[in-house]
Every structure is written in structure tokens, then in C-alpha cells.
Amino acid sequence: MLEFYLAQVVNGLIVGLIYALMAVGLSLIFSVLKIVNFAHGDCYMIGGFFSYYLATLLGFHPIAAVFVGMLGVMAVGILIHQLLLKPLYTPKVERKGEYAILMTFGIGIFLQNLAMALFGPWTKRPPDFIPGVTKLGFLFIDNNRLVVAGVGIVIMLVLLYVIGRTFIGKALRAVSQDRDAAAIVGVNPVRMNLLAFGIGVGLAGAAGALIGPVFLISPVMGILPGVKSFVIIVLGGMGSIRGAIIASILLGLVESLGSVFFLDPTRGLAYKNAFGVLLLALVLLFKPTGLFGEKFVRLE
Amino acid sequence: MLSVEEVYAGYYRDINVLQGVSLRAEAQQITTIIGPNGVGKSTLLKTIYGFLKPNRGRIAFHEEDITGIAPYQALVKGLAYIPQRRNVFRYMTVEENLVMGAWTFRRDKARIQRKLAENYERFPNLARKRKVKAGFLSGGEQRMVELGRALMSDPKLLLVDEPTAGLAPKFAKMIRDHLVDLKNEGKAVVLVEQNIREAIRIADYVYVLDLGRNKEEGPREKFLVDLKELMRDWLF
Amino acid sequence: MRKLFVVLAALGLGFLGSAAEYILIGGVAPLSAPGAAESGHEMKLAMEMAVAEINAAGGVLGKEIKLVVEDTRGLPEEGSAAMNRLADMGVVGVVGEFHSAVAKAEIEVAKARKLPFIISEAWADVLTAKQYKYVFRIAPANSLFYTKVADWIRAVGFKNVVAIVENTDWGLGVNGVLERELGTKPNIYGEKVKYTYIVAERTVTDFTPQLLRFKAMRPRPDLIMNIFTGTGEYLIVKQAAEIGLAPTRETAMFAVGTSALYPEFWETVGDYGLFVITKTGYHPILGVTPAIKEFVSKFREKYGRTPTFAAMEAYDSIYTLVKAIEMAKSTDPDDIVAALEKVRHDGVLGTIYFSTEKEPAWMYHQWPGAKAVVIQYTEVGQKYTEALLLWPAILKP
């Protein structure tokens, strides 16, 4: 029985890592731009399709396709930012919060329907990163999931390094903490917004590209992960990168273990997606700012 | 050094808070702007630094037109701005805050180290607390962080908006002393102050604004005499 | 004022529909998320093909047919809205639908607005069991079909059957039939069949936790019923294989949903699809009629993919409705219903007709001719038409 629980834990960790890639991207966008990107799940989907076509049509190695796909989604993000989000920083847009919600929501619906039209509604499977299954002692782990874990950790470490140690990362944090002060010291906040949006949706794209061979891709694949990443960033504390990572792992574990420990085993999976919300409700009850949230989040 | 000519500016398109304000500031001088609340003193500093675009008028720095410049460009020109609102990066350490002041020359490690050392010499408090998150510092220390951060880029002109508001008298005095030191080092300081007595005491030249217009101006001596009259004017 | 406008608009559209030189037929299918858009699109293609053919042959009652297919998105409220929109446009009848839950809402509109409605591919018993005058069904009722699947399970001698069931009317309906059939009758060796199931939302993408649980069960399950459609169905196949659960010597995998018949099955599950068992309403061994051959080759030529059962049903639905209109010589809904009760159409799937028996309840207005065939893939990438036929056993011991 021990092996059973251990297998659940490993599974939860891997799923949590994918959540983390998405949620950290969302959190980064939120903390720098002060907007919630409702198209995040759809950027995840675009990442899945980009890397699928890179691997199947252009012959990229599936792992290389993940990184190139991520760059592709970043490019899409930059385009979206320059064309549709930039008006946010001009006095022309007065109700910035509403503008951002409507705009990103619309972009999401557009991307989903575009994918439906371009790629068709059928489920697709990107080629395996490494085919087969690895047996670790008594654990069977799909090799693709191992690659997901490995690449996911690498991307996450690079991101944490950039945010924490480099000058660019400091500037991103500076803008997130005080936009005007950052402008005062010479940081161009619009450029930082562009960078944060690009990196943020790029991370979602990487998550989608990584998950392709494991959970398959389709135009609607992003809806649920999108919702989950909102749950995660509220759970972890809006704008907190560390909070987003910890909350993601937590959610992965709770979903994995929750659905097997659930009182009525025939309904465990039916409520799987509810566990996250339950966890959220409990945490918010005791800590309304989320696990690592700041007291005040200024929406402007 | 700085000249503001007949500037009109405001937060909404058709409502000008500044209605033709003019001002000059020179090196080695503290130029103080005083006036009742809401006459546009802070608005003037924001407009000079580019947070607001003037609807009319001209701003020049060292004879170069900088009207409507973006804030992040103003710094490169040699301006620095310390707004009234606390604006340290709360979740960064003191040192990280100071280093952010070096953003425009971030590749020049030697220069960053030199400027850091200068700052720690000027503000020994900050040297002791360099690893502390700025959000945990007292109000006076946060002001010093802001001042130090502004000094990283060697500005020629400092725009300082009510630096002593809300500070304990001890810290308020320290901040004013630092401003006088900076003046003596050759910088131009444009200061907006609520505490008129103190403001005039350290000023070299004084502007009085009223309802978005220049009301009076003159060297410090002129106002030392008229201070009582001035106050009465504002109150009634 | 607004109400008045809506009424006027409806009248206007109705007027256009009846007076114009064409007959309007409605289609309903899930064309986008969260519906099973992959199946909905296939059905839409088949409907369009049928209409194009009929028009090429001169239409019906001397008029051209126009087809309007509305997207129901797999949502009941969208389904009833779509039906109402079609009624407003003045369609003479509606065919289609894939999701039972949506069809359940749609039959209420069909009843209220007197719209002859042929359900193409929604299986829940209740749809015909309500015995609405205007509702007909070509798809098999769950009971009609899964009783036969249960017969197979018992005939092979499975003893420990587990199921993952999608939380929809279709999934729960299938589960209900299997639970009833397996719970009440012993298997071929006279043993009681233990049937355990878990229910999951259609949106779940990671079934690994539950599959691991199945793997840890003692005795280990000998058959997994994968009662899912779409991405979920593929994921269960894939994830069960990844953890070494099924298909293996100990445990078989039965993918119940239609998606196991699509070419995407192989594209998505790859090698893991080998030895997966599934079911279909159509298999060449049952006799490849010229009609089937013709349909399959036409469909492939036109759209480049092998049609499944759902496409054939949608195609036959259109033809049957049109034939009834022709017999009725009228587009009056009651005349069409009377004609549908008498119609015999030699379609792709066989001779389509509708029973008027009221016992069992779901038999009313149901095509009883649907066949159930259990097949198993014996080669990677195999077409389902070439898969091994497991049931009905041709040679009984």
C-alpha cells in the first residue's frame, strides 16, 4: 500500500510543477502589470500546438520544440501587449481594470476559436520526449513525465535566478513594488510590462508544450489549467512568485491524494477539481491574503 | 540651469492646475516653492520630471528643451525626483534599493560600487542596515534611502517634494542638513515645503505660488521680513 | 416593446422559411467546447454531405433543402436555445445531437414547439422513454446496446470489473445498464461479477491517482470499462498503460466511447492502443452493404477521414427525415411525424424505421435495428473496420 501512496505523491509533485509554470507566469504578469491575464490558459494551449507542429511538421526534437514553442508564445504575447494592452498606460483608458479584464478575456476566446478553426477540434498528441516507462523500484513513471519534471525544474530555476539575481529581475520587482519609483530611477515601466507579459505567457506556453505528450492537446485544453492558475495565485498570495510555486505543488498533491482519500471512492475523481477550491476557501478563511500575500494589492 | 516658462499642466485634459508658472533654479542654490495646499507645487515638480505633460509652455535644462520628456529619460538628463509619497521598494533590501538607482549605468560595476560607498559614507545609518528590507525602516530612514537612491546617478538637479512631512523633528533636521550639504556640493535643489519657516531658512531663492500662478518671488532675505504678512494672507 | 420586436422577427423569419423556394432543416451538434466538438464536426460534415446529395438529385417536394447546423457546445441551455433559434427560423425538422444531457433539454423544445426531431447520436434511455410524439432516435438506446456488451462481459467470464465513468447522462446511463446487468446475472462460470465504478468530470486530465488505486486492488481487476468520450477516453487508455495496468495479461481495457474509433485514437495513444477493446454499431463482418461501402468511400473522398458510426447516423437521420417529408407531401409537423412512424429508409446502417411499441418505455420511436459489436485492436494503427471481432461470437462453443 505504501507504494500506492508514494506513487500518488510523485504524481502530485509532477502535476504541481506544471501548475507552477503556469501560475508563476500569471503571478508575474499580475505583479508587474497589475492585471489578471484571462487569456493565460489559451496561451498554454497555443504553446501546446506550437510545439506539436514544430515537432511533427518541421522535425524539431520534441524537447527543442518545447523551447522554440515557448519563444513562439512569447512572440504572441509581445504582439498582444503591443497591439492591445498598451492603451492601458495612456490616459485614454480610464477604467483600466475593466479594460484589462475585457481585453484579455476576449483575447482568450479569440485564441480558442482561432485554434478550433486552424487546427480542428480533434485531440492531438505531440511525439514522446522519450518513449516508454521508467521503473524506479516499485514505481512506474512515464518517461514523458520525468522529462516534464526535469525541464520544468530547469525553467523554474532559470526564472528564479533571473528574478532574484539579475538587474533585469530587480527592475521587474521594482516596477511591481512601485511603478512610479521605478520610473524615477530610470526604468521604462512600459518596457518592463512588455517583458513581464512576454515571460509570463511564455511560461504558460512552456507548460502547455511540456504537458502535450502527457495530457494531449486540443483547443480547449487550457480552460481548466487557466482556472486552476487563478486559484493558485490567490492561494499563494497575489503577486508572490514563491507563493505561486508552493501553492502549485500543494494543489498538485491535494488533488492527487484527495481523490484517493476521498470518503466515497466512487466520487473521488468527480470532485477532483473541487479540492483546489476547497483548499482555497480554507486558506482564505484563516489568511485572507493567501499564503504569502501582501496586505494591500494596489490595482491601478 | 533649469528654466520653466509659462507652463500650463493638469491631470485632466481641459483642467490646468498650473496656469502659466515660471521658475528658474541654479546650481549651488536651494530654490524653495511655498504656497497654500492645492496650488500646484507638487504638480509643478511632476511636470518638470515628466509625469505630467504640459499643455503649454516650455521646460529647459541646461538650455536643452526637455518639455514632455518621459520620467525614465529625465534621470539620464541629470534630474532626480523625490516625491512626497514614500516610494522605496518595500520588499527589497536597502542595498538593492540603492543599486536600483544605478539602473541607467547598470553595466558599470565599478561606478556602482563607488556610488554605494559614497552613499554609505553620507548615510551611516543605511550602511548598518544595508541588508534590511526597506519596508521595515523608519520613515526618516526610508527618506534617506530615497535620497541615496536618487544620488546614485549623480544628478545635477534634485526635485524634492516635502521631504520632511510626517517625520520626527530629529529626522526632519537631518534631511534638511543633507539637502544643504548637497547644495554646497554644487547641486541645484528645488524644494517644496510645508514648514514655511524652515523652508525659508535653508532657501536661497523663494517662489510663492497661488492658484497655479506665480504670486511672488525673491531671495530669502525678502521673505524673512514678510513672513508674518504672508501667513496672514494665506489664512484669510 | 422588445417582446413585440422578437415576435415580429420570429414571424418574419417564419414567413421567409415557408414562402421561400427552399425547405429549411435544422441540425444540432456540439461544435465547440466544452462539447465533444470532434464528434459534432464529423456529424455536421455527414449532414452537409447528405443535404448536398439530396439537392443534387432535385431536393424534396420540388424545393431545395437548406441546412442550418447550430452549435450546442455540449451544454443543455445552449441546446434548448439552439432548438428555439431553429424553430424561430422556421425549420421543418431537426436532426443531430451527441450529448444525452443536451438532447434531454432539446426534446422539451421539440415537444413544446412541435418540431420533429431525430436524435442521431445520444444514447440515454430517457430520451425516447419520455415517449414524446415529436422525438425519434436512430442511435441505440443505452439499454438496447449495453445489455449486449454486458452479455459479452459475462460470456468471457470476467469477474472483477471496474469502471471510470464520465459524469454525464450518457456515462451514467451506460454505467447504470452495466451495473444492473452485471449485478443481477452471473458470468459464464456461474460466478458473481463484482462491478465497481468511479465517476469523474469530463474535464479531468489526470486519471493516474484512480488508476493506481485499481492497480493496488486485490484481486486485481480483470477488466477496466473506460466509459468516457473524447480526450478523457484517450487519456485513460494512455495513463493506464503508462503505469502498467492495462491492457495487460491481468487486466483488459474496454474503451467505451466513440472516440476510440477515430484516427485520433492512434495518434494520441500510439502503441498503448494495442489490444484495447472497444465497441461499434457497425463492422464490415456484419455485412458490408453497398450503401456502407458507398458512404465510406464518398466520405473519405470528400473529407479525407474514415467516418464513424456517428457520421452514418447523422447522414441517415437527414435522409430519413427528408423521406418522411416526401411521404407526407407536407411540411406540417404532425404530417411528418405520421410519416416518420411509417417510414422505411434503406440507409447506411440498415433499414431505418421507428418502433411504436411502448414497452420497454425507451423503445418508443426508437430504431431497434442498431447492432452492438465488440472489437479489439490487434495491430498498432489498425482501422476499426479491420479490428478483431470479439462479439457477437460467430462460432459459439
Side-chain angles (χ1 to χ4, degrees):
Chain A
M1 221 43 198
L2 177 71
E3 61 193 83
F4 169 60
Y5 295 118
L6 204 61
Q8 301 288 12
V9 169
V10 169
N11 186 51
L13 288 175
I14 294 174
V15 173
L17 198 67
I18 283 293
Y19 289 163
L21 280 180
M22 273 201 89
V24 165
L26 191 64
S27 194
L28 184 67
I29 293 173
F30 177 78
S31 60
V32 175
L33 281 81
K34 312 289 180 212
I35 66 169
V36 176
N37 176 24
F38 284 100
H40 210 61
D42 303 286
C43 295
Y44 167 89
M45 178 269 295
I46 297 278
F49 274 96
F50 274 0
S51 68
Y52 170 80
Y53 284 110
L54 284 165
T56 54
L57 289 185
L58 302 179
F60 277 79
H61 184 275
I63 296 182
V66 168
F67 289 101
V68 182
M70 177 170 95
L71 292 178
V73 177
M74 275 184 189
V76 171
I78 287 171
L79 209 66
I80 289 174
H81 180 273
Q82 296 304 88
L83 295 179
L84 302 170
L85 296 182
K86 251 188 156 172
L88 269 177
Y89 324 126
T90 66
K92 264 186 288 183
V93 178
E94 274 184 18
R95 314 182 76 174
K96 295 186 192 303
E98 287 89 333
Y99 177 88
I101 290 171
L102 290 177
M103 194 44 98
T104 59
F105 222 93
I107 293 166
I109 293 171
F110 171 75
L111 287 177
Q112 208 184 102
N113 284 288
L114 185 71
M116 194 80 89
L118 287 180
F119 314 133
W122 290 282
T123 307
K124 292 186 167 55
R125 181 200 194 184
D128 286 315
F129 297 125
I130 303 171
V133 173
T134 297
K135 210 167 169 233
L136 290 175
F138 45 74
L139 287 178
F140 281 87
I141 305 179
D142 165 28
N143 286 340
N144 288 323
R145 291 190 191 218
L146 289 176
V147 173
V148 168
V151 175
I153 288 174
V154 168
I155 294 178
M156 200 64 84
L157 288 177
V158 169
L159 180 80
L160 288 178
Y161 174 80
V162 169
I163 300 272
R165 298 264 175 262
T166 67
F167 228 118
I168 291 276
K170 281 200 182 80
L172 283 172
R173 276 152 59 207
V175 174
S176 82
Q177 290 172 26
D178 194 321
R179 212 177 165 71
D180 287 347
I184 287 169
V185 297
V187 178
N188 180 348
V190 175
R191 197 169 291 170
M192 287 301 130
N193 285 351
L194 174 66
L195 189 68
F197 197 77
I199 296 178
V201 301
L203 286 171
L210 276 173
I211 212 62
V214 180
F215 288 163
L216 311 180
I217 60 169
S218 73
V220 295
M221 68 189 273
I223 297 175
L224 204 62
V227 173
K228 283 193 182 159
S229 34
F230 301 140
V231 170
I232 288 165
I233 66 166
V234 178
L235 187 61
M238 298 287 272
S240 165
I241 302 269
R242 183 177 47 155
I245 295 175
I246 291 173
S248 300
I249 304 285
L250 202 62
L251 185 68
L253 287 176
V254 166
E255 283 188 355
S256 190
L257 293 172
S259 49
V260 293
F261 280 115
F262 193 68
L263 293 176
D264 175 3
T266 68
R267 306 292 302 178
L269 264 190
Y271 293 123
K272 185 172 166 182
N273 293 325
F275 295 134
V277 184
L278 195 67
L279 182 68
L280 180 69
L282 282 177
V283 168
L284 292 190
L285 208 56
F286 295 104
K287 197 158 182 309
T289 52
L291 294 173
F292 295 90
E294 303 167 14
K295 239 187 205 121
F296 302 102
V297 174
R298 219 154 40 91
L299 275 170
E300 45 190 10
Chain B
M1 181 185 265
L2 175 78
S3 81
V4 176
E5 295 157 19
E6 291 284 318
V7 161
Y8 288 74
Y11 299 90
Y12 300 97
R13 191 171 303 175
D14 301 320
I15 306 167
N16 285 323
V17 177
L18 302 182
Q19 303 195 345
V21 173
S22 299
L23 173 143
R24 295 185 69 80
E26 297 301 336
Q28 284 195 308
Q29 280 197 358
I30 294 182
T31 308
T32 300
I33 307 168
I34 55 178
N37 277 327
V39 298
K41 299 176 305 238
S42 295
T43 309
L44 177 59
L45 296 197
K46 277 185 198 162
T47 309
I48 296 170
Y49 204 71
F51 278 104
L52 290 173
K53 290 211 189 313
N55 296 326
R56 266 167 66 188
R58 181 172 181 276
I59 301 168
F61 186 63
H62 282 302
E63 311 302 321
E64 185 191 351
D65 189 348
I66 59 162
T67 318
I69 199 173
Y72 60 88
Q73 296 166 319
L75 181 98
V76 184
K77 303 282 180 199
L79 278 71
Y81 172 47
I82 299 163
Q84 180 185 359
R85 180 176 69 79
R86 293 279 147 73
N87 65 97
V88 294
F89 302 119
R90 284 178 298 163
Y91 300 96
M92 290 190 191
T93 62
V94 168
E95 181 145 321
E96 281 178 312
N97 263 278
L98 295 178
V99 169
M100 270 317 292
W103 170 255
T104 47
F105 53 95
R106 55 192 172 279
R107 291 188 205 293
D108 191 346
K109 296 275 185 288
R111 185 171 163 201
I112 295 175
Q113 287 312 317
R114 199 172 64 239
K115 298 309 293 181
L116 267 180
E118 278 177 31
N119 263 320
Y120 288 143
E121 201 179 325
R122 190 189 298 272
F123 307 107
N125 282 11
L126 299 188
R128 278 197 304 279
K129 297 192 172 174
R130 66 175 78 182
K131 298 277 179 225
V132 178
K133 291 238 161 72
F136 295 124
L137 299 181
S138 72
E141 288 169 329
Q142 290 193 13
R143 273 284 178 245
M144 288 179 199
V145 171
E146 289 163 15
L147 205 51
R149 195 175 65 190
L151 292 174
M152 289 295 284
S153 60
D154 266 327
K156 306 280 181 297
L157 170 85
L158 287 132
L159 304 165
V160 190
D161 195 352
E162 298 197 21
T164 60
L167 294 190
K170 184 184 88 173
F171 276 114
K173 179 173 184 309
M174 272 165 85
I175 297 286
R176 278 192 293 269
D177 290 348
H178 282 304
L179 292 178
V180 172
D181 288 349
L182 289 167
K183 173 190 91 168
N184 293 335
E185 287 164 30
K187 300 193 188 299
V189 177
V190 176
L191 176 67
V192 169
E193 253 301 5
Q194 281 290 351
N195 186 336
I196 296 158
R197 198 173 300 275
E198 290 298 335
I200 290 173
R201 192 177 61 77
I202 63 169
D204 295 289
Y205 198 85
V206 178
Y207 285 90
V208 180
L209 294 194
D210 196 11
L211 295 172
R213 292 192 178 83
N214 289 58
K215 187 174 184 194
E216 258 183 279
E217 65 181 271
R220 179 172 64 135
E221 295 72 23
K222 177 178 171 192
F223 290 88
L224 284 175
V225 191
D226 287 350
L227 194 57
K228 268 208 179 102
E229 195 122 330
L230 202 64
M231 300 287 274
R232 189 176 303 130
D233 236 30
W234 289 353
L235 287 173
F236 304 105
Chain C
M1 189 62 210
R2 219 179 115 212
K3 227 176 214 165
L4 181 69
F5 175 75
V6 171
V7 170
L8 285 174
L11 283 174
L13 282 166
F15 174 75
L16 278 176
S18 55
E21 285 309 300
Y22 53 80
I23 287 177
L24 205 56
I25 290 181
V28 279
L31 300 177
S32 61
E38 62 278 11
S39 297
H41 272 274
E42 195 197 15
M43 291 168 67
K44 181 171 176 248
L45 297 179
M47 290 181 209
E48 286 167 355
M49 195 167 113
V51 168
E53 286 170 10
I54 294 168
N55 284 335
V60 64
L61 306 181
K63 290 180 180 177
E64 194 189 335
I65 299 174
K66 284 219 167 144
L67 175 73
V68 187
V69 182
E70 290 280 319
D71 180 8
T72 65
R73 300 180 58 213
L75 301 171
E77 63 275 21
E78 293 280 338
S80 50
M83 287 292 273
N84 276 313
R85 273 199 305 276
L86 289 170
D88 292 343
M89 287 178 206
V91 299
V92 302
V94 180
V95 304
E97 198 43 64
F98 179 84
H99 295 286
S100 293
V102 184
K104 227 161 100 183
E106 288 164 349
I107 58 173
E108 299 301 331
V109 182
K111 180 186 174 208
R113 306 202 55 173
K114 297 194 192 325
L115 271 182
F117 179 28
I118 301 180
I119 300 170
S120 301
E121 174 55 5
W123 293 37
D125 287 356
V126 63
L127 299 176
T128 42
K130 286 210 167 171
Q131 306 198 340
Y132 287 165
K133 179 181 169 188
Y134 296 96
V135 176
F136 296 79
R137 170 158 62 186
I138 287 185
N142 274 336
S143 288
L144 181 68
F145 197 98
Y146 289 102
T147 315
K148 294 175 188 172
V149 171
D151 287 345
W152 171 75
I153 293 173
R154 289 186 295 110
V156 175
F158 288 115
K159 243 169 73 176
N160 287 292
V161 181
V162 293
I164 302 189
V165 183
E166 72 170 42
N167 194 5
T168 59
D169 283 299
W170 170 77
L172 297 173
V174 172
N175 187 53
V177 174
L178 291 178
E179 198 183 12
R180 187 181 71 220
E181 290 293 313
L182 296 175
T184 51
K185 296 174 199 159
N187 72 9
I188 195 167
Y189 305 116
E191 298 162 321
K192 190 173 160 31
V193 182
K194 189 166 165 250
Y195 183 76
T196 331
Y197 65 91
I198 56 154
V199 178
E201 288 307 315
R202 287 198 71 221
T203 46
V204 170
T205 50
D206 193 8
F207 299 90
T208 315
Q210 280 302 337
L211 294 169
L212 285 167
R213 190 188 187 87
F214 289 158
K215 202 181 168 202
M217 275 166 77
R218 294 292 174 269
R220 186 160 150 176
D222 45 23
L223 174 67
I224 297 175
M225 297 300 287
N226 170 354
I227 311 179
F228 252 76
T229 52
T231 308
E233 187 175 6
Y234 301 148
L235 285 171
I236 292 171
V237 169
K238 191 166 167 292
Q239 291 167 4
E242 278 164 7
I243 59 163
L245 170 63
T248 52
R249 197 182 295 276
E250 297 88 358
T251 310
M253 164 67 67
F254 194 133
V256 177
T258 316
S259 314
L261 305 176
Y262 293 137
E264 283 76 19
F265 176 75
W266 291 109
E267 199 191 305
T268 51
V269 305
D271 295 354
Y272 297 141
L274 188 60
F275 301 126
V276 165
I277 298 164
T278 183
K279 53 94 225 204
T280 166
Y282 154 74
H283 191 277
I285 209 155
L286 297 171
V288 184
T289 60
I292 288 176
K293 225 183 215 168
E294 196 192 332
F295 175 76
V296 171
S297 75
K298 273 191 303 193
F299 194 92
R300 259 196 220 149
E301 195 183 312
K302 196 159 181 186
Y303 302 118
R305 46 188 294 133
T306 303
T308 67
F309 197 50
M312 298 178 194
E313 288 168 325
Y315 183 82
D316 279 350
S317 301
I318 293 273
Y319 265 102
T320 308
L321 179 63
V322 169
K323 185 149 186 186
I325 294 170
E326 207 167 66
M327 280 170 66
K329 295 195 174 52
S330 144
T331 54
D332 178 78
D334 293 312
D335 294 347
I336 294 178
V337 166
L340 278 171
E341 287 185 346
K342 278 185 275 204
V343 78
R344 289 185 79 83
H345 166 65
D346 290 321
V348 175
L349 290 167
T351 300
I352 309 288
Y353 63 97
F354 297 104
S355 162
T356 45
E357 279 174 43
K358 295 203 165 183
E359 192 57 43
W362 47 262
M363 191 50 107
Y364 186 70
H365 284 183
Q366 166 75 41
W367 178 47
K371 299 178 187 78
V373 182
V374 177
I375 55 174
Q376 183 172 31
Y377 289 118
T378 52
E379 269 173 54
V380 174
Q382 203 167 33
K383 287 200 187 87
Y384 78 92
T385 46
E386 286 152 17
L388 178 68
L389 184 75
L390 297 182
W391 180 264
I394 301 297
L395 301 168
K396 288 196 173 163

